[in-house]
Amino acid sequence: GLEKHLLKAQLVRITYSTDIVPRGIYRPNDENSKVIEFEEEFAFPAVDEIKSLETWVHLHPNILKAGRVEHIPPPLLPDETIEDAMIRIEEQDPVLERLQPISNDQLPPPEGEDPEPLWTIKEYGDPQVYNMVGKDDGNTTLYSVVQLKSLLWPGAQTFVKGKIWSNLYIGYGFKAQTLPFLPTQPNDIQNDPEEPIEHPEPNPKNPLPLPLESDTDAIKNLSLIHISEPTRQAEISYAVFCLKKKK
């Protein structure tokens, strides 16, 4: 699948695990227990009950290990074996009843220790319970804010003030027991290597000509030879000389 499919699956997992409502606001349908309907005679829980895990239930059905909310018969099985196969599947991965209380959610305990709940409750603000003036007897209100926090999905919280509640999730999409993806840091960028020294080719196709000797070296290898005497004794006369390479 694509990344958008993974994102959608994660959002569904988080939503189905952390969307909670007060107990009694919905009830299972009489004909189909997998369907819930609004309870018209619902009364919001009392102030003391709001701060109890037993008061809050899951709105959505539980997600099975196969990633669905209900089992599908395995394909390519004979008709006479499908019923037995479905029984085995449901025993290994049971479908829970709707509106399960969040107090049943527990963290897998370490060996030898008792399980711990997956939710915490904390109250912020004035915890005093006030009687509503001019209202029916026993009608009270609370001005503090109650927070229910999921320990399985960090960032999933439910806030309650008076008779109003809201589910909120701000997180990275990871469970508390799963490590986030941290790619390995690449090595430091290395400096450019030094350029190798170029050496002449031992047997070049076109050899370079030999270097010429300097003028000083050339003169040292020559000797001056006098060939003829001056032509006449006058202001201008001529004589012949030549240079001969020494042996």
Side-chain angles (χ1 to χ4, degrees):
L2 302 177
E3 184 178 358
K4 63 179 182 181
H5 301 143
L6 175 60
L7 178 61
K8 178 182 178 181
Q10 285 294 88
L11 292 176
V12 172
R13 293 177 64 194
I14 296 171
T15 302
Y16 274 50
S17 300
T18 60
D19 272 9
I20 58 178
V21 295
R23 182 184 58 194
I25 190 172
Y26 294 102
R27 62 180 179 86
N29 185 274
D30 297 335
E31 298 180 358
N32 186 359
S33 60
K34 296 181 180 179
V35 179
I36 59 175
E37 54 189 16
F38 182 73
E39 179 60 64
E40 296 181 358
E41 298 180 359
F42 168 73
F44 200 83
V47 173
D48 295 336
E49 296 178 350
I50 291 177
K51 295 177 282 186
S52 173
L53 294 179
E54 297 289 344
T55 305
W56 299 91
V57 297
H58 287 283
L59 175 61
H60 303 286
N62 67 304
I63 297 181
L64 303 172
K65 296 178 181 179
R68 307 184 183 94
V69 295
E70 60 181 11
H71 293 295
I72 298 177
L76 305 178
L77 282 182
D79 295 340
E80 59 272 11
T81 61
I82 290 180
E83 184 177 356
D84 295 337
M86 291 297 296
I87 293 175
R88 290 193 300 269
I89 292 175
E90 292 179 359
E91 290 177 352
Q92 297 174 358
D93 191 8
V95 178
L96 303 179
E97 295 181 0
R98 296 290 301 272
L99 305 175
Q100 288 287 319
I102 64 175
S103 58
N104 294 345
D105 301 343
Q106 295 179 342
L107 284 170
E111 186 176 357
E113 298 183 9
D114 297 332
E116 297 181 0
L118 274 177
W119 295 82
T120 60
I121 295 182
K122 191 173 183 180
E123 185 177 10
Y124 299 90
D126 184 7
Q128 178 66 37
V129 179
Y130 295 92
N131 292 322
M132 300 295 291
V133 179
K135 302 294 182 179
D136 297 336
D137 295 338
N139 195 350
T140 59
T141 188
L142 189 68
Y143 293 102
S144 63
V145 176
V146 177
Q147 176 201 43
L148 293 92
K149 184 178 179 180
S150 172
L151 301 180
L152 181 63
W153 294 98
Q157 305 173 71
T158 298
F159 297 95
V160 188
K161 185 179 185 301
K163 296 183 179 181
I164 301 174
W165 75 94
S166 177
N167 297 297
L168 178 67
Y169 176 78
I170 302 176
Y172 295 100
F174 295 106
K175 282 187 176 181
Q177 296 175 332
T178 58
L179 298 177
F181 174 69
L182 297 176
T184 304
Q185 184 177 1
N187 297 329
D188 295 336
I189 299 177
Q190 299 180 355
N191 297 327
D192 294 336
E194 296 182 359
E195 296 184 0
I197 300 175
E198 295 185 2
H199 296 277
E201 188 176 353
N203 298 313
K205 294 181 179 180
N206 300 318
L208 297 175
L210 295 176
L212 297 177
E213 295 179 339
S214 63
D215 295 341
T216 304
D217 295 337
I219 293 174
K220 289 180 180 180
N221 295 328
L222 298 178
S223 60
L224 180 63
I225 300 175
H226 181 205
I227 297 178
S228 65
E229 295 296 333
T231 55
R232 64 180 181 272
Q233 295 184 359
E235 293 181 0
I236 298 175
S237 62
Y238 300 90
V240 179
F241 298 86
C242 72
L243 296 173
K244 182 180 179 181
K245 189 174 183 181
K246 294 179 180 180
K247 294 183 179 180

